[in-house]
Structures are given as C-alpha cells and as structure tokens.
Amino acid sequence: MTPLPEPPGAGSVAPDAAALPALRRRITTVLIASQMLGGLANATGIALAAVLAAEISGSQALSGLASAAMVAGPALLAMPLAALMTRRGRRPGLVLAYLLGAAGAVVVVTGAVLDSFPLLLSGMAVFGAGSLGNLQARYAAADLAEPARRARAISTVVWATTIGAVLGPNIAAPAGHSVTRFGIPAAAGPFVWAAGVFLLSAALVGVLLRPDPLLTARALDGSAAHSATARSLRAEVRAVRQSPRARLALITVAVSHTAMVSIMSMTPVALTRHGADIQLIGLVISVHIAGMYAFSPVMGWLADRLGRLSVIGLAAGLLCCAALLAGTAGTSHGQTMAGLFLLGLGWSAGLVSGSALLTDSVPGPARAAVQGLCDLTMNVAAGLGGLTAGLIVARSGYGWLNAAGASLLLPMAGLALFTSRRHGRGETPRTTATD
C-alpha cells in the first residue's frame, strides 16, 4: 500500500553532515530507478497513441489530438502538483503523479474497449501526469545536491530516461498482442502494460524515497517553518520576476522545449513527403531521443564546470544548427537525422542548464512551486508550438518551420548574453552545503 502523504515538516529532521553523501546516493538511486520505469511506461503508451486515436475516431486528422491531450494534461496538473510538493514534499507529489498516470492508462483502455473517443482523450490527458512525474524527479535530485554539482545531479536523473524511452516503443508490439484475447484492441495493449509499470514506479517512490529530499533540504537550510503554506500563482510569478536569472532559466526551458517539440513533431511528415519509410522514420526519431537523454550527464558536467549561462548559449547554438540542418535537408535523410540528433542535444543542454539555474536563483521555500510554474510554462508553450507547427508546414513547408524555431532562440541567446554581462556568468557557489 502506498504510504500516506507526510504532514508538513514530517521527515524533515536535518541529517548529520557525515551522513549526507550516503543519503544523496540513495535518493539518486531511487530516482534513477523510478525514472527508468516512468520513462518506460510513457514511451510504451506514446508509441501507439496516435494509431489508437485514429482507430477509435475513424479519422487520421484527429489522431494528432492524442499528443495534444498528453501535453495538455501535464500543463493543467503542473501547478496543483507543485502546490502538493510545497506543502508535503517530493515523495507524495511523485507518487500521485505516477498513480494518475496509471489511472489515465486504465481510462484510455476503457475508452478503446467502449469505442469512446472523448473518454480516450480524457484518459490520455491524465496519462500525461506520468511524464510530469518524470519531469519533477529532476528537481528532486537537485534538492540535496551540493550547489557545485546540482546540474550533474539533474542530468543523471534525466539520463536515466534513456533506457525506458528506447525500450518502450520496442515492447509496444508484444504488449498489443498480449491483450487481444481479452477483447482489448491491440493498439491499447501498451497502455495496459504502462498502467502496471506506473504502479510499480509509484510503489518504489512511496516506499524508498525516504527521508523526503525536499523536506530534508528545508531542514538543512532552516526554511521548513516557512514552506508549509500554499503559494499562489501570483507569488510564483513575482518570485521569478524578481530574479533576472530565474527569468532566463524559465525562458530557456520553455523555448528549448517548444523548439524541440515543434520541429520533432513534424519531421516524420517531412520525411514521408521525401520518400522515407516507417523504418527510417523510426531510426531518425531514435537518434533524436538518444540526443535528448544519452548525453545529459555531459551537459550537467559542462553546466557545473563552465557555468549555467555558458551552456544556455551552447543550447541556443545547437538548436540553431539543428534547425539549419533539418530545414535545408530536403531529400537528404542523413542530414535530417543529423539535424534531429543536434535538436535533441540542444534540448538536453537547455533543460539541464535551465533547470539548474532556476533552482539556484530562487529561495528554498519557493523552489518547488516555481519549478511547477516552469513545467506549466514549458508544456503550455510546447502545446501551442505543436499546434502552430502543423499550420506552418501546411502553408509554407518544413523549412519555414525550422526557420521559425530558430527565430525563437535568438531572444533567448540575447538574454543569456545580457544576463552574463550584467549579473555574472551564473556559476553556483563552490560550497558543500545545501543553499
């Protein structure tokens, strides 16, 4: 049975300094394991989401609503989940996210069996909470990390998603075959398996993520007494506005995610128009996913060694190069693949450096809620970007979509340069205590 959420302040006794390294390693190990499971569940379900939506709706045009619902769900849930974490800690918030992911998967399967498209979309929106749990886990890794190693802690948890993200699509077919005997459509099979994996992830976090990293970090810096009360959205916006680096961090994460989602989502369409088959499209997307996750520890190391702002500049450069390569590839599928790899690499640099800078830039009591605001912003922006991307490709072409994506990056790069000159390069203090 999943443990009940902790009351404010529970489990928030500051550990002895000598015990901190072992505690950090144990918390990171649990988060890595949950990230692998969460990534597997997400990738398994997403693999055939559009196919299932097309089957139930009877319309190829409506299949894109599946991905839109999966983006809308995390956007709607980001702030309530952050409010729960602000009051109760990371553990109950992550457990709830994974349980919602499992519940959403069950609703998706029910909608498929009943041939109900609205029910299917509702389930996919709730299913997206599982991906939100994976996103929030990166911040849990930073709670107890030394400031000088915070980006590496975030990147290690992001890297763990690689295993699930690569394995998930490959088990979609056996998952589908395993449920047809029960009258469940094969395309809904991955969601049956995803529900079980999300439940396992929730149990893992609920039992082993102790003591709660956020509550422990507050006990270490003495802010526990100021963190139990709920914070309003207006208060989080004010906290970001008061810090130039926090503003840059939020913009970096949102813009990097929007550029990546917009270009990536329309790349299969562009490849199809230039004669690529499904196998080649799958290979291109796999290379892109490898760029997103496999090299995140490198980005974390660079962000800690060279500074957050330097890696934000690197993210802008990589994403611009990706847009140039993909947008001018035409029939050169190898060039498109190279562009998508750089697109994933640039996203990784932006997510890791932006998340670390955001954590550095706001006071401890506000962190969980401001991090929730960041995930809300990135999901809303990516949802709008994905919708706009289709219109741009339909009217002007894939090349113009990449040009539009690159244009989003120029203000981000300019703001990073201005912040660097005005407020310093953005390195964290070389201390060993949680700040």
Side-chain angles (χ1 to χ4, degrees), residues 265-371:
S265 64
M266 298 309 298
T267 298
V269 176
L271 287 170
T272 301
R273 288 179 178 176
H274 291 294
D277 58 17
I278 294 177
Q279 184 175 0
L280 178 59
I281 292 172
L283 178 60
V284 170
I285 297 303
S286 294
V287 169
H288 168 67
I289 291 173
M292 288 176 66
Y293 298 116
F295 296 90
S296 57
V298 177
M299 298 305 172
W301 182 83
L302 289 173
D304 284 336
R305 296 289 296 178
L306 304 180
R308 320 301 194 215
L309 302 185
S310 298
V311 179
I312 288 174
L314 175 63
L318 287 170
L319 290 168
C320 282
C321 288
L324 177 63
L325 283 174
T328 60
T331 58
S332 176
H333 301 322
Q335 184 174 328
T336 301
M337 186 181 298
L340 266 288
F341 173 74
L342 289 181
L343 186 71
L345 209 58
W347 175 87
S348 179
L351 183 77
V352 170
S353 59
S355 299
L357 182 61
L358 185 69
T359 304
D360 296 339
S361 304
V362 294
R367 279 180 187 162
V370 170
Q371 289 159 351

Side-chain angles (χ1 to χ4, degrees), residues 366-381:
R367 279 180 187 162
V370 170
Q371 289 159 351
L373 174 64
C374 179
D375 285 352
L376 166 65
T377 304
M378 69 183 282
N379 279 295
V380 170

